Amino acid sequence: MVPDSPSAPSASSVPSVPSPVPSVLDLAPVVPVVVVEDLADAVPMARALVAGGLPAIEVTLRTPVALDAIRAIAADVPDAVVGAGTVISARNVADSVAAGARFLVSPGWTESLLVAMEGSGVPFLPGVSTTSEVVALLERGVSEMKFFPAEAAGGTAYLKSLGGPLPQARFCPTGGITPGTAPTYLALKNVGCVGGSWMLPSDAVAAKDWARVESLAREASTLR
């Protein structure tokens, strides 16, 4: 007697899998760069940013609760596209993806880190600040990068100069960018988005003033 085939699981019993992220650079004009000190802030902070029109959220691996924050946002804020920032090792890559990160951002790159990010299965933005680093990544087929530290490394003038000989490279500049300077970056053809934290002022976060965070995020979402 042939045993009955197991019945197919119902749609409601199958866990949803987030859709792939085609390009971090095209999700929103600004990617909030988030440092989570208190894990309890992670979900309400992410909800405020998403409500304000900034779905791509880079949680930096700078605090002990960062991975738990990524895990919480991935589980409880379905409209967020949460990623990990300050990724500087293969272990960071593995831990971040396991926690639910849907993209990775590094301040710089090495051969071993690049290999790990390439094998992660999620989009990534390796950090660059020189022309040689950009060319080296283009040789590897990587055309989307983080430009860091943006203001200290030459700002808009430097990026505009790169656009002539290296038009295939696209950037997310991060580091020292403000609401006043962001539009100048976003006007460049080789800039897809910018990273910043001005929509998360320390006093608003300390006061749990998520309405203010949402308002600042909404202003940032209209900068393009």
Side-chain angles (χ1 to χ4, degrees), residues 46-201:
R47 286 175 175 159
L49 292 170
V50 171
L54 301 180
I57 301 171
E58 176 189 335
V59 177
T60 61
L61 302 183
R62 302 180 193 175
T63 67
V65 301
L67 288 172
D68 286 333
I70 292 171
R71 193 172 290 110
I73 294 169
D76 296 336
V77 192
D79 291 332
V81 181
V82 63
T86 321
V87 174
I88 59 173
S89 69
R91 177 62 181 272
N92 286 163
V93 171
D95 289 347
S96 298
V97 173
R102 296 174 63 188
F103 64 91
L104 307 170
V105 184
S106 69
W109 66 278
T110 63
E111 181 66 21
S112 60
L113 177 57
L114 186 62
V115 168
M117 290 193 293
E118 287 175 326
S120 68
V122 301
F124 57 92
L125 297 175
V128 298
S129 59
T130 69
T131 306
S132 294
E133 291 171 318
V134 176
V135 172
L137 286 174
L138 290 174
E139 284 185 345
R140 292 288 296 264
V142 178
S143 61
E144 297 189 345
M145 312 167 195
K146 171 178 177 174
F147 180 59
F148 177 83
E151 286 289 283
T156 55
Y158 192 94
L159 285 172
K160 186 175 181 179
S161 297
L162 288 180
L166 303 171
Q168 63 272 55
R170 297 180 71 216
F171 301 94
C172 173
T174 305
I177 297 176
T178 68
T181 60
T184 308
Y185 280 95
L186 291 167
L188 298 176
K189 292 180 180 180
N190 57 353
V191 170
C193 64
V194 300
S197 57
W198 69 82
M199 69 295 300
L200 293 159

